Amino acid sequence: MSVFRDDFLWGGACAANQFEGAWDVDGKGASVPDMCTNGSHSVPKWITTTIRPDRLYPSHEAIDFYHHYEEDIALFAEMGFKTFRTSINWTRIFPTGMETQPNEKGLEFYDRVFDCCKKHGIEPLVTISHYELPYALVEKYNGWASRELIELYMNYCKVIFERYKDKVKYWLTFNEINTGTMPLGALLNTGTVRGFEGSTADVPDNKQERFQALHHMFVASAEAIRYAHAHYPQFKMGCMICFITSYPMTCDPADVVATQKQMQILNWFSSDMHVRGEYPYYMKRYFAENDITILQQPEDAAILKEGTVDFYTFSYYMSNCVTTHKDAADIGGNISTGKKNPYLKASDWGWQIDPIGLRYTLNEIYDRYHIPLMVVENGLGAYDVKSEDGKIHDSYRIDYLRQHIEQMAEAVKDGVDLMGYTPWGCIDLVSASTGEMAKRYGFIYVNKFDDGTGDLSRERKDSFYWYKKVIASNGADLD
Ligand code: BGP
Protein backbone atom coordinates (compact mmCIF):
# COMPACT_ATOMS: atom_id res chain seq x y z
CA MET A 1 0.00 0.00 0.00
CA SER A 2 1.21 3.47 -0.85
CA VAL A 3 1.92 5.88 1.97
CA PHE A 4 2.33 8.83 -0.38
CA ARG A 5 -0.53 11.25 -0.91
CA ASP A 6 -2.80 10.65 -3.92
CA ASP A 7 -1.66 13.83 -5.66
CA PHE A 8 2.04 13.13 -5.00
CA LEU A 9 4.14 14.87 -7.63
CA TRP A 10 6.41 12.19 -9.09
CA GLY A 11 8.67 13.46 -11.82
CA GLY A 12 12.20 14.49 -12.68
CA ALA A 13 14.38 17.59 -12.70
CA CYS A 14 16.67 19.37 -15.17
CA ALA A 15 18.10 22.85 -15.65
CA ALA A 16 18.08 24.85 -18.87
CA ASN A 17 21.82 25.44 -19.04
CA GLN A 18 22.64 21.79 -18.50
CA PHE A 19 20.40 20.29 -21.17
CA GLU A 20 18.92 22.82 -23.62
CA GLY A 21 21.99 23.62 -25.71
CA ALA A 22 21.16 26.15 -28.47
CA TRP A 23 23.12 28.61 -26.34
CA ASP A 24 23.11 31.40 -28.94
CA VAL A 25 20.01 30.46 -30.93
CA ASP A 26 16.96 32.71 -31.43
CA GLY A 27 18.53 35.70 -29.73
CA LYS A 28 19.74 34.00 -26.55
CA GLY A 29 22.62 35.70 -24.70
CA ALA A 30 25.48 34.07 -22.78
CA SER A 31 24.90 33.03 -19.20
CA VAL A 32 27.66 32.14 -16.73
CA PRO A 33 27.68 28.41 -17.59
CA ASP A 34 28.05 29.28 -21.28
CA MET A 35 31.47 30.70 -20.36
CA CYS A 36 32.50 27.46 -18.60
CA THR A 37 34.58 24.75 -20.26
CA ASN A 38 34.34 21.03 -19.63
CA GLY A 39 36.26 19.35 -16.84
CA SER A 40 36.16 16.10 -14.90
CA HIS A 41 36.32 14.74 -11.37
CA SER A 42 40.10 15.26 -11.36
CA VAL A 43 40.47 18.28 -13.70
CA PRO A 44 38.39 21.31 -12.69
CA LYS A 45 36.49 23.13 -15.40
CA TRP A 46 37.42 26.73 -16.28
CA ILE A 47 35.51 29.92 -16.68
CA THR A 48 36.79 32.16 -19.48
CA THR A 49 35.99 35.83 -20.01
CA THR A 50 35.58 35.32 -23.77
CA ILE A 51 34.68 32.22 -25.76
CA ARG A 52 37.99 30.58 -26.69
CA PRO A 53 38.05 28.59 -29.93
CA ASP A 54 40.47 26.03 -28.47
CA ARG A 55 38.16 25.04 -25.59
CA LEU A 56 34.98 22.99 -25.39
CA TYR A 57 31.92 24.56 -23.76
CA PRO A 58 29.51 21.75 -22.90
CA SER A 59 26.43 23.93 -22.37
CA HIS A 60 26.56 25.17 -25.97
CA GLU A 61 25.03 22.02 -27.35
CA ALA A 62 24.44 20.00 -24.16
CA ILE A 63 21.85 17.36 -25.12
CA ASP A 64 19.98 19.83 -27.35
CA PHE A 65 16.68 19.64 -25.50
CA TYR A 66 15.90 22.86 -27.37
CA HIS A 67 15.27 20.82 -30.49
CA HIS A 68 14.33 17.50 -28.82
CA TYR A 69 11.84 18.70 -26.23
CA GLU A 70 8.83 16.96 -27.77
CA GLU A 71 10.55 13.59 -27.86
CA ASP A 72 11.93 14.06 -24.35
CA ILE A 73 8.69 15.17 -22.74
CA ALA A 74 6.91 12.24 -24.44
CA LEU A 75 9.45 9.92 -22.77
CA PHE A 76 8.81 11.59 -19.39
CA ALA A 77 5.09 11.06 -19.97
CA GLU A 78 5.72 7.42 -20.81
CA MET A 79 7.28 7.02 -17.35
CA GLY A 80 4.12 8.61 -15.94
CA PHE A 81 5.61 11.92 -14.76
CA LYS A 82 3.12 14.11 -12.92
CA THR A 83 5.55 17.00 -12.82
CA PHE A 84 8.68 18.15 -14.61
CA ARG A 85 11.09 20.53 -12.94
CA THR A 86 13.01 22.68 -15.38
CA SER A 87 14.35 26.22 -15.40
CA ILE A 88 13.82 29.17 -17.65
CA ASN A 89 17.13 30.43 -18.91
CA TRP A 90 17.12 34.14 -18.03
CA THR A 91 19.29 34.88 -21.11
CA ARG A 92 16.67 33.51 -23.50
CA ILE A 93 14.23 36.12 -22.21
CA PHE A 94 16.68 38.97 -21.52
CA PRO A 95 19.94 38.19 -23.35
CA THR A 96 22.05 40.56 -21.24
CA GLY A 97 19.58 40.86 -18.37
CA MET A 98 19.36 44.61 -19.02
CA GLU A 99 17.01 44.96 -22.02
CA THR A 100 13.72 46.75 -21.53
CA GLN A 101 11.83 44.45 -23.91
CA PRO A 102 11.92 40.66 -23.64
CA ASN A 103 13.05 38.41 -26.47
CA GLU A 104 9.84 37.07 -27.99
CA LYS A 105 11.53 34.03 -29.51
CA GLY A 106 12.79 32.95 -26.11
CA LEU A 107 9.33 33.33 -24.61
CA GLU A 108 7.85 31.27 -27.44
CA PHE A 109 10.22 28.40 -26.72
CA TYR A 110 8.94 28.02 -23.16
CA ASP A 111 5.36 28.36 -24.42
CA ARG A 112 6.05 25.32 -26.55
CA VAL A 113 7.67 23.42 -23.66
CA PHE A 114 4.86 24.14 -21.17
CA ASP A 115 2.16 23.43 -23.76
CA CYS A 116 3.79 20.12 -24.50
CA CYS A 117 3.86 19.31 -20.76
CA LYS A 118 0.17 20.18 -20.47
CA LYS A 119 -0.65 18.01 -23.47
CA HIS A 120 0.84 15.08 -21.54
CA GLY A 121 -0.79 16.02 -18.25
CA ILE A 122 2.54 17.07 -16.70
CA GLU A 123 2.61 20.00 -14.29
CA PRO A 124 5.70 22.20 -14.81
CA LEU A 125 7.73 23.18 -11.75
CA VAL A 126 9.87 26.12 -12.80
CA THR A 127 13.15 27.33 -11.33
CA ILE A 128 13.43 31.01 -12.21
CA SER A 129 17.22 31.10 -11.88
CA HIS A 130 19.20 27.87 -11.87
CA TYR A 131 22.86 28.97 -11.89
CA GLU A 132 22.01 30.92 -15.07
CA LEU A 133 22.98 34.51 -14.45
CA PRO A 134 23.43 36.53 -17.67
CA TYR A 135 27.20 36.88 -18.11
CA ALA A 136 26.74 40.53 -19.09
CA LEU A 137 25.61 41.16 -15.51
CA VAL A 138 28.84 39.67 -14.22
CA GLU A 139 30.82 41.97 -16.50
CA LYS A 140 28.87 45.09 -15.68
CA TYR A 141 27.86 44.61 -12.05
CA ASN A 142 29.99 41.80 -10.62
CA GLY A 143 26.81 39.74 -10.43
CA TRP A 144 24.66 39.85 -7.32
CA ALA A 145 27.26 41.95 -5.48
CA SER A 146 25.31 44.85 -6.93
CA ARG A 147 21.88 45.82 -5.68
CA GLU A 148 20.87 46.76 -9.25
CA LEU A 149 20.27 43.10 -9.90
CA ILE A 150 17.17 43.05 -7.70
CA GLU A 151 15.34 45.27 -10.16
CA LEU A 152 16.64 43.40 -13.20
CA TYR A 153 15.54 40.09 -11.68
CA MET A 154 12.13 41.57 -10.94
CA ASN A 155 11.77 42.75 -14.57
CA TYR A 156 12.48 39.21 -15.65
CA CYS A 157 10.06 37.70 -13.09
CA LYS A 158 7.25 40.06 -14.03
CA VAL A 159 7.55 39.09 -17.70
CA ILE A 160 7.57 35.33 -17.12
CA PHE A 161 4.85 35.42 -14.44
CA GLU A 162 2.50 37.27 -16.78
CA ARG A 163 3.37 35.23 -19.84
CA TYR A 164 3.03 31.80 -18.18
CA LYS A 165 0.40 32.56 -15.55
CA ASP A 166 -2.00 30.02 -17.04
CA LYS A 167 0.65 27.39 -17.68
CA VAL A 168 2.82 27.35 -14.56
CA LYS A 169 1.66 27.19 -10.96
CA TYR A 170 4.79 26.07 -9.05
CA TRP A 171 7.82 28.38 -9.01
CA LEU A 172 11.21 28.26 -7.25
CA THR A 173 12.98 31.60 -7.03
CA PHE A 174 16.63 30.43 -7.01
CA ASN A 175 18.27 27.05 -7.30
CA GLU A 176 20.35 26.05 -4.28
CA ILE A 177 20.63 29.63 -3.08
CA ASN A 178 22.67 28.54 -0.05
CA THR A 179 25.68 27.56 -2.18
CA GLY A 180 26.40 31.29 -1.88
CA THR A 181 27.62 30.53 1.65
CA MET A 182 30.42 28.42 0.16
CA PRO A 183 33.37 29.68 -1.95
CA LEU A 184 32.15 27.60 -4.88
CA GLY A 185 28.92 29.61 -4.92
CA ALA A 186 30.74 32.70 -6.19
CA LEU A 187 30.82 31.19 -9.64
CA LEU A 188 27.66 29.10 -9.76
CA ASN A 189 25.35 31.25 -7.79
CA THR A 190 26.23 34.82 -6.86
CA GLY A 191 28.21 35.43 -10.08
CA THR A 192 30.74 37.52 -8.18
CA VAL A 193 33.56 36.61 -10.57
CA ARG A 194 33.98 39.74 -12.67
CA GLY A 195 37.18 39.62 -14.75
CA PHE A 196 38.20 36.20 -13.50
CA GLU A 197 39.46 33.63 -15.97
CA GLY A 198 40.81 30.31 -14.80
CA SER A 199 40.08 27.07 -13.05
CA THR A 200 36.97 26.94 -10.93
CA ALA A 201 39.21 25.66 -8.16
CA ASP A 202 41.05 28.99 -8.13
CA VAL A 203 38.15 31.46 -8.06
CA PRO A 204 39.29 34.19 -5.64
CA ASP A 205 37.10 34.18 -2.57
CA ASN A 206 35.64 37.23 -0.91
CA LYS A 207 33.24 36.40 1.90
CA GLN A 208 32.04 39.94 2.38
CA GLU A 209 31.06 40.11 -1.28
CA ARG A 210 29.38 36.69 -1.31
CA PHE A 211 27.22 37.40 1.72
CA GLN A 212 26.30 40.86 0.47
CA ALA A 213 25.35 39.26 -2.86
CA LEU A 214 23.27 36.70 -0.99
CA HIS A 215 21.45 39.50 0.80
CA HIS A 216 20.46 40.94 -2.58
CA MET A 217 19.29 37.52 -3.70
CA PHE A 218 17.18 37.03 -0.57
CA VAL A 219 15.54 40.41 -1.09
CA ALA A 220 14.98 39.63 -4.79
CA SER A 221 13.47 36.26 -3.93
CA ALA A 222 11.18 37.78 -1.30
CA GLU A 223 10.17 40.62 -3.60
CA ALA A 224 9.29 38.14 -6.36
CA ILE A 225 7.23 36.09 -3.92
CA ARG A 226 5.47 39.16 -2.56
CA TYR A 227 4.68 40.32 -6.09
CA ALA A 228 3.45 36.86 -7.14
CA HIS A 229 1.21 36.55 -4.10
CA ALA A 230 -0.29 39.98 -4.79
CA HIS A 231 -0.92 39.46 -8.52
CA TYR A 232 -1.24 35.71 -9.04
CA PRO A 233 -2.89 34.13 -6.00
CA GLN A 234 -2.95 30.78 -7.79
CA PHE A 235 0.88 30.57 -7.75
CA LYS A 236 2.75 28.45 -5.22
CA MET A 237 6.16 29.94 -4.49
CA GLY A 238 9.05 27.91 -3.10
CA CYS A 239 12.70 28.13 -2.14
CA MET A 240 15.34 25.58 -3.12
CA ILE A 241 18.16 24.64 -0.77
CA CYS A 242 21.20 22.45 -1.41
CA PHE A 243 20.77 20.49 1.81
CA ILE A 244 23.97 18.91 3.00
CA THR A 245 23.27 17.15 6.26
CA SER A 246 26.15 17.01 8.69
CA TYR A 247 26.74 14.60 11.56
CA PRO A 248 29.19 14.98 14.42
CA MET A 249 32.12 12.69 13.67
CA THR A 250 32.38 11.75 17.35
CA CYS A 251 30.31 12.28 20.46
CA ASP A 252 32.86 14.83 21.67
CA PRO A 253 30.61 17.79 22.56
CA ALA A 254 33.01 20.07 20.66
CA ASP A 255 32.17 18.09 17.51
CA VAL A 256 28.45 18.39 18.21
CA VAL A 257 28.69 22.17 18.49
CA ALA A 258 30.88 22.42 15.39
CA THR A 259 28.25 20.41 13.51
CA GLN A 260 25.47 22.63 14.77
CA LYS A 261 27.38 25.69 13.55
CA GLN A 262 27.98 24.17 10.12
CA MET A 263 24.29 23.21 9.79
CA GLN A 264 23.29 26.75 10.73
CA ILE A 265 25.50 28.55 8.23
CA LEU A 266 25.25 26.11 5.35
CA ASN A 267 21.65 24.94 5.50
CA TRP A 268 19.49 26.77 8.03
CA PHE A 269 20.54 30.36 7.35
CA SER A 270 19.15 30.44 3.79
CA SER A 271 16.19 28.29 4.81
CA ASP A 272 15.29 30.59 7.71
CA MET A 273 15.54 33.64 5.45
CA HIS A 274 12.94 32.16 3.12
CA VAL A 275 10.58 30.60 5.62
CA ARG A 276 10.84 32.94 8.59
CA GLY A 277 11.68 36.07 6.59
CA GLU A 278 14.42 37.52 8.75
CA TYR A 279 18.09 37.15 9.61
CA PRO A 280 18.45 34.38 12.19
CA TYR A 281 20.03 35.25 15.53
CA TYR A 282 23.14 33.10 14.97
CA MET A 283 24.26 35.10 11.90
CA LYS A 284 25.14 38.10 14.03
CA ARG A 285 28.08 36.34 15.59
CA TYR A 286 29.13 34.72 12.31
CA PHE A 287 29.16 38.08 10.53
CA ALA A 288 31.08 39.73 13.39
CA GLU A 289 33.70 36.97 13.51
CA ASN A 290 34.15 37.02 9.75
CA ASP A 291 34.28 40.80 9.32
CA ILE A 292 31.12 40.82 7.24
CA THR A 293 28.86 43.87 7.18
CA ILE A 294 25.61 43.55 5.27
CA LEU A 295 24.39 46.80 3.76
CA GLN A 296 20.61 46.88 3.89
CA GLN A 297 18.03 49.40 2.76
CA PRO A 298 15.30 50.42 5.20
CA GLU A 299 12.62 48.60 3.16
CA ASP A 300 14.47 45.27 3.10
CA ALA A 301 13.22 43.96 6.44
CA ALA A 302 9.56 44.36 5.40
CA ILE A 303 10.17 42.77 1.98
CA LEU A 304 11.89 39.77 3.57
CA LYS A 305 9.10 39.39 6.12
CA GLU A 306 6.31 39.61 3.56
CA GLY A 307 7.91 37.46 0.87
CA THR A 308 8.03 34.09 2.61
CA VAL A 309 7.56 30.80 0.80
CA ASP A 310 4.52 28.53 0.44
CA PHE A 311 6.56 25.36 0.26
CA TYR A 312 10.14 24.27 0.83
CA THR A 313 12.18 22.30 -1.66
CA PHE A 314 15.69 20.97 -1.50
CA SER A 315 18.28 18.82 -3.20
CA TYR A 316 19.65 15.86 -1.31
CA TYR A 317 22.58 13.83 -2.54
CA MET A 318 24.81 13.13 0.44
CA SER A 319 25.77 13.79 4.00
CA ASN A 320 29.10 14.42 5.64
CA CYS A 321 30.76 14.55 9.05
CA VAL A 322 32.19 17.40 11.05
CA THR A 323 34.94 17.14 13.60
CA THR A 324 37.35 19.26 15.57
CA HIS A 325 39.83 16.36 15.61
CA LYS A 326 42.74 16.65 13.23
CA ASP A 327 43.12 13.08 11.95
CA ALA A 328 39.81 12.53 10.09
CA ALA A 329 39.89 11.94 6.33
CA ASP A 330 38.21 14.36 3.94
CA ILE A 331 35.51 13.26 1.53
CA GLY A 332 36.22 14.00 -2.11
CA GLY A 333 32.98 15.59 -3.38
CA ASN A 334 33.03 18.57 -5.75
CA ILE A 335 30.26 20.41 -3.94
CA SER A 336 30.34 19.14 -0.40
CA THR A 337 33.39 19.23 1.73
CA GLY A 338 33.56 17.49 5.06
CA LYS A 339 34.82 14.34 6.66
CA LYS A 340 34.34 10.74 5.62
CA ASN A 341 31.68 8.70 7.35
CA PRO A 342 32.96 5.15 7.92
CA TYR A 343 29.39 3.79 7.79
CA LEU A 344 28.69 5.05 4.27
CA LYS A 345 29.84 4.27 0.76
CA ALA A 346 30.46 7.00 -1.79
CA SER A 347 29.76 7.43 -5.50
CA ASP A 348 32.61 7.46 -8.03
CA TRP A 349 32.66 11.23 -7.51
CA GLY A 350 33.05 10.89 -3.74
CA TRP A 351 29.49 11.88 -2.84
CA GLN A 352 28.58 9.84 0.24
CA ILE A 353 25.39 7.85 -0.24
CA ASP A 354 23.08 8.15 2.76
CA PRO A 355 19.40 7.21 2.27
CA ILE A 356 18.62 7.15 6.00
CA GLY A 357 19.98 10.68 6.14
CA LEU A 358 17.12 11.71 3.87
CA ARG A 359 14.54 10.54 6.41
CA TYR A 360 16.44 12.37 9.13
CA THR A 361 16.69 15.52 7.00
CA LEU A 362 13.00 15.53 6.05
CA ASN A 363 12.10 15.27 9.73
CA GLU A 364 14.51 18.02 10.74
CA ILE A 365 13.19 20.45 8.12
CA TYR A 366 9.54 19.65 8.73
CA ASP A 367 9.95 19.91 12.48
CA ARG A 368 11.44 23.39 12.06
CA TYR A 369 8.94 24.84 9.60
CA HIS A 370 5.78 22.75 9.30
CA ILE A 371 5.20 23.61 5.65
CA PRO A 372 4.96 21.16 2.71
CA LEU A 373 8.29 19.80 1.52
CA MET A 374 9.49 18.50 -1.81
CA VAL A 375 12.70 16.69 -2.72
CA VAL A 376 13.47 18.34 -6.07
CA GLU A 377 16.89 16.76 -6.66
CA ASN A 378 18.35 13.42 -5.67
CA GLY A 379 20.13 10.78 -7.67
CA LEU A 380 23.29 8.92 -8.51
CA GLY A 381 25.84 10.37 -10.90
CA ALA A 382 27.51 7.30 -12.37
CA TYR A 383 29.45 6.00 -15.36
CA ASP A 384 26.96 4.11 -17.52
CA VAL A 385 28.46 1.42 -19.73
CA LYS A 386 26.50 -0.36 -22.42
CA SER A 387 26.27 -4.14 -22.02
CA GLU A 388 26.73 -6.62 -24.82
CA ASP A 389 23.05 -6.38 -25.66
CA GLY A 390 23.57 -2.64 -26.27
CA LYS A 391 21.50 -1.64 -23.23
CA ILE A 392 22.26 0.19 -19.98
CA HIS A 393 21.54 -2.10 -17.04
CA ASP A 394 21.79 0.49 -14.28
CA SER A 395 20.87 -1.59 -11.25
CA TYR A 396 23.18 0.63 -9.11
CA ARG A 397 20.96 3.64 -9.91
CA ILE A 398 17.79 1.70 -9.16
CA ASP A 399 19.26 0.63 -5.80
CA TYR A 400 20.16 4.21 -4.93
CA LEU A 401 16.74 5.60 -5.81
CA ARG A 402 14.85 2.70 -4.19
CA GLN A 403 16.66 3.21 -0.90
CA HIS A 404 15.93 6.93 -0.93
CA ILE A 405 12.24 6.43 -1.77
CA GLU A 406 11.98 3.87 1.05
CA GLN A 407 13.29 6.49 3.44
CA MET A 408 10.92 9.14 2.08
CA ALA A 409 8.12 6.69 2.85
CA GLU A 410 9.44 6.35 6.39
CA ALA A 411 9.45 10.13 6.75
CA VAL A 412 5.86 10.30 5.50
CA LYS A 413 4.94 7.67 8.09
CA ASP A 414 6.72 9.83 10.66
CA GLY A 415 4.22 12.55 9.71
CA VAL A 416 6.19 14.72 7.29
CA ASP A 417 4.06 16.48 4.65
CA LEU A 418 5.90 15.53 1.46
CA MET A 419 4.46 16.85 -1.83
CA GLY A 420 6.66 15.29 -4.42
CA TYR A 421 9.92 13.90 -5.70
CA THR A 422 11.84 14.91 -8.82
CA PRO A 423 15.12 12.98 -9.14
CA TRP A 424 17.90 14.95 -10.75
CA GLY A 425 18.85 14.67 -14.39
CA CYS A 426 15.94 12.44 -15.39
CA ILE A 427 17.58 12.52 -18.80
CA ASP A 428 21.42 12.52 -19.02
CA LEU A 429 22.81 16.04 -19.05
CA VAL A 430 25.94 18.10 -18.37
CA SER A 431 27.24 18.00 -14.80
CA ALA A 432 27.03 21.33 -12.99
CA SER A 433 30.14 20.87 -10.90
CA THR A 434 32.48 19.22 -13.40
CA GLY A 435 31.05 20.04 -16.85
CA GLU A 436 31.11 16.36 -17.83
CA MET A 437 28.64 14.20 -19.71
CA ALA A 438 30.23 11.08 -18.23
CA LYS A 439 28.58 11.72 -14.87
CA ARG A 440 25.14 10.46 -15.80
CA TYR A 441 21.96 10.57 -13.72
CA GLY A 442 19.25 9.81 -16.25
CA PHE A 443 16.53 7.23 -16.71
CA ILE A 444 17.13 8.11 -20.35
CA TYR A 445 20.58 7.67 -21.87
CA VAL A 446 21.76 10.28 -24.33
CA ASN A 447 24.43 9.45 -26.90
CA LYS A 448 26.60 12.46 -26.18
CA PHE A 449 30.14 12.29 -24.88
CA ASP A 450 32.76 14.44 -23.19
CA ASP A 451 34.64 15.20 -26.39
CA GLY A 452 31.45 16.70 -27.84
CA THR A 453 30.73 13.73 -30.13
CA GLY A 454 27.55 11.63 -30.22
CA ASP A 455 24.39 11.57 -32.32
CA LEU A 456 22.18 12.77 -29.42
CA SER A 457 19.88 9.76 -29.74
CA ARG A 458 17.91 8.79 -26.63
CA GLU A 459 17.60 5.30 -25.12
CA ARG A 460 15.67 3.92 -22.15
CA LYS A 461 17.82 2.52 -19.33
CA ASP A 462 16.57 -0.27 -16.99
CA SER A 463 15.82 2.45 -14.43
CA PHE A 464 13.31 3.94 -16.91
CA TYR A 465 11.07 0.87 -16.68
CA TRP A 466 11.60 0.59 -12.95
CA TYR A 467 10.64 4.24 -12.27
CA LYS A 468 7.55 3.83 -14.45
CA LYS A 469 6.38 1.03 -12.11
CA VAL A 470 7.20 3.15 -9.06
CA ILE A 471 5.05 6.00 -10.32
CA ALA A 472 2.21 3.74 -11.45
CA SER A 473 2.03 2.26 -7.93
CA ASN A 474 2.40 5.68 -6.25
CA GLY A 475 5.64 4.50 -4.69
CA ALA A 476 4.33 1.17 -3.37
CA ASP A 477 6.13 -1.09 -5.85
CA LEU A 478 9.87 -0.53 -5.50
CA ASP A 479 11.09 -3.96 -6.66
C1 BGP B 1 22.95 20.34 -7.87
C2 BGP B 1 22.55 21.30 -8.96
C3 BGP B 1 22.26 20.70 -10.26
C4 BGP B 1 22.93 19.40 -10.54
C5 BGP B 1 23.19 18.53 -9.36
C6 BGP B 1 24.16 17.40 -9.59
O1 BGP B 1 23.82 20.93 -7.00
O2 BGP B 1 21.40 22.04 -8.61
O3 BGP B 1 22.35 21.69 -11.24
O4 BGP B 1 23.84 19.41 -11.52
O5 BGP B 1 23.63 19.23 -8.25
O6 BGP B 1 25.45 17.89 -9.55
P1 BGP B 1 26.53 17.52 -10.61
O7 BGP B 1 25.93 17.88 -11.92
O8 BGP B 1 27.69 18.33 -10.29
O9 BGP B 1 26.74 16.07 -10.47
Side-chain angles (χ1 to χ4, degrees):
M1 239 218 4
S2 171
V3 301
F4 297 103
R5 49 202 247 188
D6 291 343
D7 58 352
F8 193 81
L9 292 167
W10 296 98
C14 296
N17 76 87
Q18 292 171 255
F19 83 145
E20 283 179 0
W23 78 291
D24 60 354
V25 171
D26 290 337
K28 184 182 166 298
S31 63
V32 170
D34 294 324
M35 309 305 289
C36 292
T37 70
N38 60 345
S40 69
H41 185 31
S42 48
V43 181
K45 62 182 194 179
W46 274 48
I47 179 163
T48 60
T49 50
T50 54
I51 300 295
R52 289 174 42 168
D54 57 325
R55 305 297 294 256
L56 196 83
Y57 295 83
S59 73
H60 290 194
E61 184 184 56
I63 61 156
D64 198 25
F65 175 79
Y66 195 78
H67 297 107
H68 289 72
Y69 71 92
E70 285 183 290
E71 174 188 356
D72 294 342
I73 294 170
L75 285 165
F76 300 155
E78 189 182 323
M79 276 186 277
F81 277 24
K82 315 281 182 222
T83 189
F84 172 45
R85 172 175 176 237
T86 190
S87 64
I88 294 178
N89 200 324
W90 189 340
T91 55
R92 276 198 202 287
I93 313 302
F94 290 101
T96 66
M98 293 174 275
E99 293 78 3
T100 48
Q101 290 305 312
N103 172 29
E104 179 57 28
K105 285 240 175 309
L107 289 166
E108 284 168 9
F109 170 64
Y110 294 105
D111 274 325
R112 294 197 293 279
V113 169
F114 300 145
D115 288 345
C116 187
C117 286
K118 280 272 137 81
K119 188 177 93 188
H120 289 288
I122 296 174
E123 182 76 48
L125 164 61
V126 172
T127 315
I128 297 169
S129 182
H130 190 127
Y131 297 159
E132 279 143 0
L133 191 64
Y135 190 67
L137 298 182
V138 174
E139 288 176 307
K140 174 139 193 216
Y141 292 114
N142 195 21
W144 283 98
S146 166
R147 199 176 165 93
E148 305 286 331
L149 264 76
I150 299 174
E151 201 182 320
L152 298 170
Y153 177 84
M154 280 309 296
N155 291 346
Y156 163 53
C157 286
K158 285 177 185 168
V159 166
I160 58 174
F161 288 168
E162 183 57 23
R163 177 75 170 219
Y164 307 122
K165 61 176 187 281
D166 299 322
K167 302 181 184 188
V168 178
K169 176 172 154 197
Y170 296 102
W171 301 87
L172 306 177
T173 51
F174 288 100
N175 180 63
E176 294 189 336
I177 192 166
N178 59 316
T179 53
T181 65
M182 303 184 252
L184 153 110
L187 175 83
L188 288 176
N189 193 11
T190 55
T192 42
V193 287
R194 177 160 55 189
F196 174 73
E197 172 155 322
S199 155
T200 52
D202 300 329
V203 176
D205 190 35
N206 181 333
K207 262 192 185 174
Q208 164 66 39
E209 205 171 72
R210 263 195 291 120
F211 279 88
Q212 182 66 53
L214 264 181
H215 175 74
H216 297 143
M217 293 175 79
F218 291 133
V219 174
S221 173
E223 182 62 18
I225 293 170
R226 196 164 78 146
Y227 182 87
H229 283 159
H231 295 86
Y232 308 98
Q234 74 275 25
F235 285 4
K236 296 278 175 223
M237 306 299 296
C239 57
M240 199 299 202
I241 303 293
C242 173
F243 211 102
I244 301 177
T245 297
S246 298
Y247 305 130
M249 187 81 193
T250 72
C251 47
D252 177 349
D255 281 6
V256 176
V257 170
T259 306
Q260 183 178 51
K261 285 288 143 211
Q262 171 151 320
M263 287 289 285
Q264 284 176 338
I265 307 306
L266 186 58
N267 301 308
W268 296 128
F269 163 46
S270 301
S271 307
D272 287 350
M273 292 298 287
H274 280 101
V275 186
R276 296 177 169 164
E278 61 188 21
Y279 274 87
Y281 73 92
Y282 48 82
M283 290 311 285
K284 231 186 197 162
R285 178 169 183 179
Y286 181 80
F287 288 152
E289 289 179 353
N290 287 277
D291 291 325
I292 296 170
T293 309
I294 305 291
L295 289 179
Q296 303 199 38
Q297 294 302 316
E299 65 272 22
D300 290 1
I303 296 172
L304 291 168
K305 201 71 202 172
E306 287 166 25
T308 55
V309 294
D310 303 312
F311 66 113
Y312 180 107
T313 83
F314 64 106
S315 60
Y316 179 86
Y317 292 93
M318 65 192 124
S319 63
N320 65 22
C321 293
V322 173
T323 185
T324 55
H325 303 196
K326 296 242 165 341
D327 48 354
D330 289 332
I331 61 168
N334 314 73
I335 289 193
S336 168
T337 49
K339 301 295 173 191
K340 258 196 184 130
N341 185 331
Y343 299 96
L344 301 178
K345 294 203 172 68
S347 78
D348 288 339
W349 277 261
W351 293 18
Q352 292 190 137
I353 301 170
D354 182 12
I356 294 175
L358 178 54
R359 174 183 179 184
Y360 169 73
T361 302
L362 281 161
N363 273 280
E364 286 290 295
I365 300 170
Y366 192 65
D367 186 34
R368 194 173 182 109
Y369 302 126
H370 276 82
I371 59 173
L373 308 185
M374 187 160 171
V375 179
V376 293
E377 286 188 32
N378 171 239
L380 182 69
Y383 294 106
D384 285 335
V385 181
K386 285 196 177 166
S387 297
E388 276 173 14
D389 60 4
K391 301 217 157 64
I392 306 286
H393 299 299
D394 56 343
S395 53
Y396 37 90
R397 182 168 293 108
I398 293 173
D399 287 345
Y400 177 102
L401 295 168
R402 177 192 295 120
Q403 289 166 20
H404 284 81
I405 296 173
E406 278 167 0
Q407 294 301 319
M408 289 190 327
E410 291 300 322
V412 169
K413 287 195 246 171
D414 291 334
V416 170
D417 182 6
L418 185 61
M419 298 163 61
Y421 179 59
T422 55
W424 175 250
C426 45
I427 180 165
D428 291 348
L429 39 60
V430 177
S431 158
S433 57
T434 67
E436 291 164 285
M437 271 308 299
K439 190 181 188 189
R440 295 175 183 271
Y441 286 87
F443 301 112
I444 302 162
Y445 185 84
V446 181
N447 277 288
K448 175 76 194 275
F449 307 100
D450 283 335
D451 60 1
T453 62
D455 66 6
L456 297 172
S457 58
R458 278 61 169 152
E459 294 164 37
R460 296 164 186 80
K461 303 180 193 176
D462 283 1
S463 55
F464 180 100
Y465 301 102
W466 172 81
Y467 194 44
K468 186 177 173 173
K469 271 195 325 179
V470 171
I471 297 178
S473 63
N474 199 23
D477 181 1
L478 300 176
D479 292 339

